Amino acid sequence: LEFDRTYYVAGDEGHAVTYVSIPPGKEHILDEGPFYVFALPRGTALKEGSPIPPGAFRLATVSVIEEDEAYELESAFTVPDLDPGWYEIGVCNDPCTISGFRESLGGSLSIVETRREAQLLTANDRLRGQLFGLRREVRRAERRLTEVEDELDAQLAFGSEERNELAAEIDRLETQLASARSRGRRNLPPFRAAPCR
């Protein structure tokens, strides 16, 4: 179930919605309704064929709206005056013979004491989400940096190898040139100045 927010104060109006697909021939399970949204203390759950657990609070009736190839399940509720804390949310008929439509439906919400507390917790969640996103971006940037460093290292290694090869070639050519000059001097006839006229 998707709720319009996470943190509620007693008396708030809330809204939950989800979409389910029911295979052809199984639509008769909708006749087992009405279905209800229950707030359950943490650690408890709705189970088909079991009584509604003690401490469960019925929040609202679920309205079922048929759409193209799915059903929209929607409920609007007023948050009851329950003890502050987290509550598991479940959907079931009463008695609980159908607790889901091919899979169980649920969620969670938190009841807090003041509107300011709800605002601060919401802001905190948003900041945590931003921090998570920034950490993910930092990890991506670190991976990209490592890839660039590896590529530069490879280019430097290749450049260094190429430089060494060129230096060796220069040395070889200088040696050949020096040898050729040396041989050329030995084979040349001695230099004689032309007579002056």
Side-chain angles (χ1 to χ4, degrees):
L1 287 170
E2 292 182 20
F3 292 88
D4 54 348
R5 67 189 104 150
T6 304
Y7 303 100
Y8 294 89
V9 176
D12 280 348
E13 297 299 317
H15 182 260
V17 67
T18 193
Y19 297 87
V20 297
S21 173
I22 301 173
K26 298 284 185 179
E27 294 92 348
H28 62 85
I29 63 174
L30 296 172
D31 297 334
E32 300 287 326
F35 296 93
Y36 305 99
V37 175
F38 290 92
L40 305 154
R42 276 259 152 124
T44 59
L46 297 172
K47 293 180 186 168
E48 283 186 12
S50 297
I52 303 296
F57 187 91
R58 187 187 295 177
L59 287 179
T61 302
V62 174
S63 59
V64 179
I65 301 158
E66 186 172 359
E67 298 206 344
D68 292 335
E69 295 181 9
Y71 292 87
E72 179 185 78
L73 306 180
E74 181 182 40
S75 66
F77 56 92
T78 300
V79 177
D81 190 13
L82 297 172
D83 290 336
W86 282 97
Y87 290 86
E88 300 294 336
I89 303 299
V91 174
C92 198
N93 54 355
D94 191 4
C96 191
T97 59
I98 304 287
S99 68
F101 302 86
R102 296 175 61 191
E103 58 185 55
S104 61
L105 295 176
S108 62
L109 60 79
S110 176
I111 297 177
V112 296
E113 292 185 6
T114 65
R115 181 117 10 254
R116 182 67 180 143
E117 183 182 1
Q119 291 169 343
L120 291 172
L121 287 167
T122 300
N124 189 45
D125 287 350
R126 186 174 56 254
L127 290 172
R128 282 183 187 202
Q130 290 172 351
L131 180 61
F132 176 79
L134 290 172
R135 284 181 176 158
R136 189 176 63 221
E137 286 301 315
V138 166
R139 285 192 298 273
R140 284 182 184 164
E142 286 172 345
R143 282 195 299 272
R144 284 194 300 269
L145 179 60
T146 300
E147 289 169 4
V148 168
E149 286 174 343
D150 291 346
E151 188 177 328
L152 286 174
D153 287 344
Q155 288 176 0
L156 285 172
F158 178 75
S160 177
E161 184 180 320
E162 204 171 47
R163 185 189 69 229
N164 291 339
E165 288 174 2
L166 287 173
E169 181 66 10
I170 288 170
D171 287 346
R172 186 183 68 73
L173 290 173
E174 284 178 344
T175 302
Q176 280 183 347
L177 181 60
S179 175
R181 282 182 180 158
S182 169
R183 279 193 316 268
R185 280 193 208 119
R186 282 194 306 263
N187 296 334
L188 287 176
F191 176 75
R192 293 190 185 137
C196 291
R197 295 185 177 168

